[in-house]
Amino acid sequence: MLADQHFLRIPGPTPIPPSVQRAMSQPMIGHRGSETSELLRTIQPRLRKVFGTTQDVVIVTGSGTSGLEAAVVNTVNPADEVLVIVTGAFGARFVKICEAYGIVVHQLTVEWGKAFDVKDVQAVVQNNPAIKAVFATYCETSTGVMNPVHLLAQTVKEVSDALIIVDGVSCVGGVETKMDDWGIDVIVTGTQKAFMLPAGLTFIAVSEKAWNRIENNSNRGFYLDLVKYKSNLAKDTTPFTPALSLLFGLHEALKMMEAEGLDEVYARHKLMKEMTRAAFKALAIPLLTTDEDAADTVTAVSPEDFDAELFRKTIKSEFGLTVAGGQEHLKGKIFRVGHMGYCSPADVLQTIAMIEIGLVKSGKQIEIGKGVAAAQKIYVAQGATN
Amino acid sequence: MLADQHFLRIPGPTPIPPSVQRAMSQPMIGHRGSETSELLRTIQPRLRKVFGTTQDVVIVTGSGTSGLEAAVVNTVNPADEVLVIVTGAFGARFVKICEAYGIVVHQLTVEWGKAFDVKDVQAVVQNNPAIKAVFATYCETSTGVMNPVHLLAQTVKEVSDALIIVDGVSCVGGVETKMDDWGIDVIVTGTQKAFMLPAGLTFIAVSEKAWNRIENNSNRGFYLDLVKYKSNLAKDTTPFTPALSLLFGLHEALKMMEAEGLDEVYARHKLMKEMTRAAFKALAIPLLTTDEDAADTVTAVSPEDFDAELFRKTIKSEFGLTVAGGQEHLKGKIFRVGHMGYCSPADVLQTIAMIEIGLVKSGKQIEIGKGVAAAQKIYVAQGATN
């Protein structure tokens, strides 16, 4: 195996573009100086476009989970009622965060591998008028499902004025997100997915309605108190020392996304999903989700007649190719192929070619090349450019 | 001015060594894979040595303040009584964090620029037996004071079993820290100071006594719940996606500190302090602190007859040299020169030489070269090597 070659095709962390790496290697600057203010000022309008909002987007130094916790602690209080829609491991994480704060959680649990139905959400909210916030997952990383969050707010708003709070960690930046048009109140994401960066920053976009709720909440913690970030952002600064190298990288990544064009970025992710799904279908290997529910950023594969873990070990040792396994009760039963961020249709073709060889080497009978050809045909049919 | 040359001499963020930059530029890896476990396993024993403890040191993705908040929320609860020793802006931050959680705060306030006296602390604790924890600052960044935390625990323990919790953000890694020997229960630090890294990770070392308190506390929040980090660390992993590029860099920085030798690292910081102080004394420019109270990592200077802000602007535009201003009521009244992390005695000489020219250019009468010579003499007298 060629030394020092690795193909990271998990649903985050994702590979880092060389130009982003170079940007992150810039020497340190004073975090209270004018260069940092200028950096925050340049980042902000670009970030707003990615979220589809005219509101400022708060940047917190932390893992994505700290952003999810910020969304909880700023908007609701102990003993408040909320609805959490659980479509997989990350929906379940919202439940755990709420329970850690003594919040009363109604759960709408959907079979892993399926998206939620907004009508079911509406029914729960209608039957429980005390619900103050609805928590949903945009892309459920653990199952490769993309939930219909674009329809969520309008449906809930027919019966309730609960806040709509969305975990967008594993897709925002790679799929269309129109927070303002869709009526979403809070969207959270992290840097290590479609933003093409290492983990370490979390972004929290907040609607005017949610800011009103937050500013009237006197119990917001300290480090995750979003009002501190908002008032500092108004002065182009941050309340606490930010992870500057990640801000350098973020600036470069946003410039890359702008140069490609956000619509083109989203079209590329959709194409990569379709190529990946076409390949597994051509190889007659079952997918966990339907076409309708499938995420643009990660594809979950559900082998019936070969060992997912043996297959993952084989491609890792053969090519340095890493795909993700299943989580919780899907552990050992599925594997997940990431196709987001710094990943192109050409990368998808290479990944599928390696996967085919890995299948053969782990004893699965396939017609070699058939998956790659199916993906190539999708690419050609769409008249796409890499 | 030579393009692209900057001298960052603030008390953090500090410059990043090239080898650490290179380490941080490694391609991403799976955060649940064996490489990440191996990385955490190699980091842990080195980190313990820096803290002077045999306990595991928790690593959280976040600014230093998230580490301070973790130290609060894991050990005490709303309505509990604590003592916060306030010697400057970072002591005051502990007060704000505690108050955000409804904790009852006794304050021992010391004039900014002076260290606390452990006998005063003992008296407050003795008079208030309900105090469950004492919060102190090791190096108070805002004033350049190093507090006698090495004497704190033994003095408090004569009258109370309160936990001793220390903010070590702007010095641990640059000055001797013997957590176990000194009887400290929790020490927090960040990456952007003596650890020679960008901001983004915070380290929390916890004594066995404090772990007992924490594990019996059912109200620890979610993201900052230290028990989650401890139980994951036992399996060489983290509860949430870590800032991997910073872990790569941390590994390299710890190797650098080990290669130099921790005692030599500490001696270098002490020498840089003595050189810096000798220079300002030779120039007859007052220092904010006494020799006894002065920190090894940052020196606060208190000009009487020139404008600190004009001086700072002058050296920035002339050389790209950044030193820090004062905070809160010391704003405009002092400036602070950082000498920690990736900073050598030779860098101190260069900094002083630039400062002398900046003083002359901002209208202050000095005998040029006298500060540099005084610093050089200290270096020679100590028989030091750069």
Side-chain angles (χ1 to χ4, degrees):
Chain A
M1 188 166 94
L2 174 63
D4 202 26
Q5 189 173 40
H6 303 280
F7 303 94
L8 189 64
R9 297 287 169 238
I10 62 176
T14 59
I16 314 296
S19 60
V20 173
Q21 283 289 17
R22 283 193 299 272
M24 290 193 300
S25 303
Q26 287 169 74
M28 278 300 108
I29 57 177
H31 65 298
R32 294 286 173 244
S34 57
E35 296 100 325
T36 303
S37 291
E38 181 55 31
L39 186 63
L40 291 169
R41 225 176 353 252
T42 344
I43 284 171
Q44 202 49 232
R46 294 187 165 108
L47 214 43
R48 281 189 219 120
K49 275 185 205 152
V50 177
F51 282 83
T53 183
T54 59
Q55 301 287 320
D56 279 346
V57 179
V58 164
I59 303 175
V60 172
T61 302
S63 308
T65 301
S66 67
L68 302 181
E69 181 161 345
V72 171
V73 297
N74 282 271
T75 59
V76 286
N77 290 125
D80 280 352
E81 291 184 37
V82 302
L83 169 62
V84 180
I85 311 168
V86 180
T87 58
F90 288 89
R93 180 161 295 179
F94 259 141
V95 174
K96 286 181 199 151
I97 296 173
C98 289
E99 288 179 347
Y101 285 94
I103 292 156
V104 179
V105 178
H106 300 266
Q107 280 189 53
L108 175 64
T109 304
V110 178
E111 187 190 336
W112 285 36
K114 293 198 173 10
F116 63 72
D117 183 327
V118 288
K119 284 288 165 201
D120 296 339
V121 180
Q122 192 185 48
V124 178
V125 174
Q126 192 154 28
N127 292 334
N128 297 278
I131 286 172
K132 288 195 156 176
V134 176
F135 292 89
T137 315
Y138 193 173
C139 172
E140 174 53 66
T141 323
S142 63
T143 61
V145 159
M146 202 146 74
N147 284 299
V149 298
H150 60 294
L151 303 173
L152 185 62
Q154 62 190 75
T155 316
V156 169
K157 275 167 198 187
E158 287 168 11
V159 297
S160 159
D161 74 338
L163 294 178
I164 307 296
I165 296 174
V166 171
D167 168 357
V169 172
S170 63
C171 65
V172 170
V175 304
E176 186 176 66
T177 306
K178 293 184 168 295
M179 173 166 158
D180 290 357
D181 289 356
W182 297 347
I184 296 176
D185 293 301
V186 180
I187 303 191
V188 176
T189 192
T191 37
Q192 77 279 22
K193 311 272 183 176
F195 281 91
M196 309 183 285
L197 290 161
L201 298 177
T202 176
F203 308 134
I204 304 133
V206 180
S207 74
E208 201 180 334
K209 176 179 166 185
W211 277 126
N212 287 338
R213 172 89 63 93
I214 292 169
E215 280 157 359
N216 288 307
N217 175 9
S218 56
N219 182 15
R220 300 184 298 251
F222 191 85
Y223 184 68
L224 297 178
D225 173 0
L226 293 178
V227 175
K228 287 193 182 74
Y229 290 87
K230 187 189 186 189
S231 58
N232 277 276
L233 202 51
K235 297 175 284 181
D236 297 314
T237 184
T238 56
F240 313 116
T241 317
L244 277 170
S245 56
L246 290 171
L247 287 180
F248 294 146
L250 173 61
H251 180 225
E252 183 61 31
L254 287 166
K255 282 201 299 184
M256 282 179 67
M257 289 158 81
E258 192 173 81
E260 182 177 357
L262 281 181
D263 287 342
E264 285 72 19
V265 170
Y266 303 151
R268 170 167 55 85
H269 282 83
K270 199 179 282 290
L271 175 62
M272 294 193 295
K273 166 190 70 173
E274 287 171 6
M275 289 169 67
T276 305
R277 292 179 67 83
F280 284 104
K281 285 177 189 173
L283 297 170
I285 296 172
L287 297 164
L288 182 66
T289 70
T290 64
D291 288 349
E292 201 188 4
D293 291 352
D296 292 355
T297 48
V298 51
T299 296
V301 182
S302 214
E304 278 171 344
D305 54 1
F306 64 95
D307 181 336
E309 293 306 292
L310 171 67
F311 163 72
R312 289 176 61 225
K313 281 197 192 98
T314 306
I315 55 176
K316 181 77 191 278
S317 67
E318 193 74 31
F319 296 110
L321 169 60
T322 311
V323 303
Q327 291 179 288
E328 306 198 9
H329 69 273
L330 292 180
K331 201 169 176 135
K333 298 206 173 111
I334 65 167
F335 62 89
R336 294 171 296 147
V337 183
H339 33 76
M340 74 176 107
Y342 187 57
C343 182
S344 69
D347 292 327
V348 170
L349 295 173
Q350 184 186 33
T351 303
I352 295 166
M354 291 187 285
I355 283 176
E356 288 187 341
I357 293 171
L359 288 168
V360 170
K361 294 228 170 187
S362 35
K364 161 78 180 158
Q365 305 254 322
I366 57 155
E367 191 182 324
I368 203 157
K370 208 171 170 184
V372 176
Q376 288 172 308
K377 280 174 200 160
I378 296 281
Y379 183 85
V380 172
Q382 301 224 349
T385 51
N386 190 48
Chain B
M1 188 167 93
L2 175 63
D4 201 26
Q5 190 173 41
H6 303 281
F7 303 94
L8 189 64
R9 296 289 169 237
I10 61 176
T14 58
I16 314 296
S19 61
V20 172
Q21 283 289 18
R22 284 194 299 273
M24 291 193 298
S25 303
Q26 287 169 73
M28 278 300 109
I29 57 177
H31 65 298
R32 294 287 173 242
S34 57
E35 296 99 328
T36 303
S37 291
E38 180 56 31
L39 186 62
L40 291 169
R41 223 175 357 249
T42 343
I43 283 171
Q44 202 48 234
R46 293 187 164 109
L47 213 42
R48 279 189 221 123
K49 275 185 206 153
V50 177
F51 282 83
T53 183
T54 58
Q55 301 288 320
D56 277 346
V57 179
V58 165
I59 302 175
V60 173
T61 302
S63 308
T65 301
S66 67
L68 302 181
E69 181 162 347
V72 172
V73 298
N74 281 271
T75 59
V76 285
N77 290 125
D80 281 351
E81 290 184 38
V82 302
L83 167 62
V84 180
I85 310 168
V86 180
T87 58
F90 288 88
R93 179 158 295 178
F94 259 141
V95 173
K96 286 181 198 151
I97 296 173
C98 289
E99 287 178 347
Y101 284 93
I103 292 157
V104 179
V105 178
H106 300 266
Q107 280 188 53
L108 174 66
T109 304
V110 178
E111 187 189 338
W112 285 35
K114 294 198 171 11
F116 63 73
D117 183 327
V118 288
K119 284 288 165 201
D120 296 339
V121 180
Q122 191 185 48
V124 179
V125 175
Q126 193 154 28
N127 292 336
N128 297 278
I131 286 173
K132 287 194 155 177
V134 176
F135 292 88
T137 316
Y138 193 172
C139 171
E140 174 54 65
T141 324
S142 63
T143 61
V145 159
M146 201 145 75
N147 284 299
V149 298
H150 61 294
L151 303 174
L152 186 60
Q154 63 190 74
T155 316
V156 169
K157 275 167 198 188
E158 288 169 10
V159 296
S160 159
D161 74 339
L163 293 178
I164 306 296
I165 297 174
V166 171
D167 169 357
V169 172
S170 63
C171 66
V172 170
V175 304
E176 186 176 65
T177 306
K178 293 186 168 295
M179 173 166 160
D180 290 356
D181 288 355
W182 298 346
I184 296 176
D185 293 301
V186 181
I187 302 189
V188 177
T189 192
T191 38
Q192 77 278 22
K193 312 272 182 176
F195 280 91
M196 309 183 284
L197 289 161
L201 297 177
T202 176
F203 308 132
I204 304 134
V206 180
S207 73
E208 202 179 333
K209 176 177 167 187
W211 276 125
N212 286 339
R213 173 91 62 94
I214 292 169
E215 280 157 359
N216 288 309
N217 174 9
S218 57
N219 182 16
R220 300 182 300 249
F222 191 83
Y223 185 68
L224 298 178
D225 173 1
L226 293 177
V227 175
K228 286 193 183 71
Y229 290 86
K230 187 188 188 194
S231 59
N232 277 276
L233 202 52
K235 297 175 285 182
D236 296 314
T237 185
T238 56
F240 312 116
T241 317
L244 275 170
S245 56
L246 291 170
L247 287 181
F248 293 147
L250 172 61
H251 180 224
E252 184 61 32
L254 287 167
K255 280 201 300 184
M256 281 178 68
M257 288 158 81
E258 192 173 82
E260 184 177 356
L262 281 180
D263 287 341
E264 285 72 18
V265 170
Y266 303 152
R268 170 167 56 84
H269 282 83
K270 198 178 282 293
L271 175 61
M272 295 193 294
K273 167 190 71 174
E274 287 169 6
M275 290 170 67
T276 304
R277 292 179 68 84
F280 284 104
K281 286 179 189 170
L283 296 170
I285 297 172
L287 297 164
L288 181 67
T289 69
T290 64
D291 287 349
E292 201 187 6
D293 291 351
D296 293 354
T297 49
V298 51
T299 296
V301 182
S302 214
E304 276 171 347
D305 55 0
F306 65 96
D307 182 336
E309 294 305 294
L310 172 67
F311 162 72
R312 289 176 62 225
K313 282 197 193 96
T314 307
I315 55 174
K316 181 77 191 277
S317 67
E318 193 74 30
F319 296 110
L321 169 61
T322 310
V323 303
Q327 291 179 291
E328 306 198 10
H329 69 271
L330 292 180
K331 201 170 177 136
K333 299 207 172 107
I334 64 166
F335 62 89
R336 294 171 298 147
V337 183
H339 33 77
M340 74 175 105
Y342 188 57
C343 183
S344 68
D347 292 326
V348 171
L349 295 173
Q350 184 186 32
T351 303
I352 295 166
M354 291 187 285
I355 283 176
E356 287 186 341
I357 293 171
L359 288 168
V360 170
K361 294 228 168 187
S362 34
K364 162 77 180 159
Q365 305 254 322
I366 57 156
E367 189 180 327
I368 202 157
K370 205 170 172 185
V372 176
Q376 288 172 308
K377 281 174 199 157
I378 296 281
Y379 184 86
V380 172
Q382 301 224 350
T385 51
N386 191 46

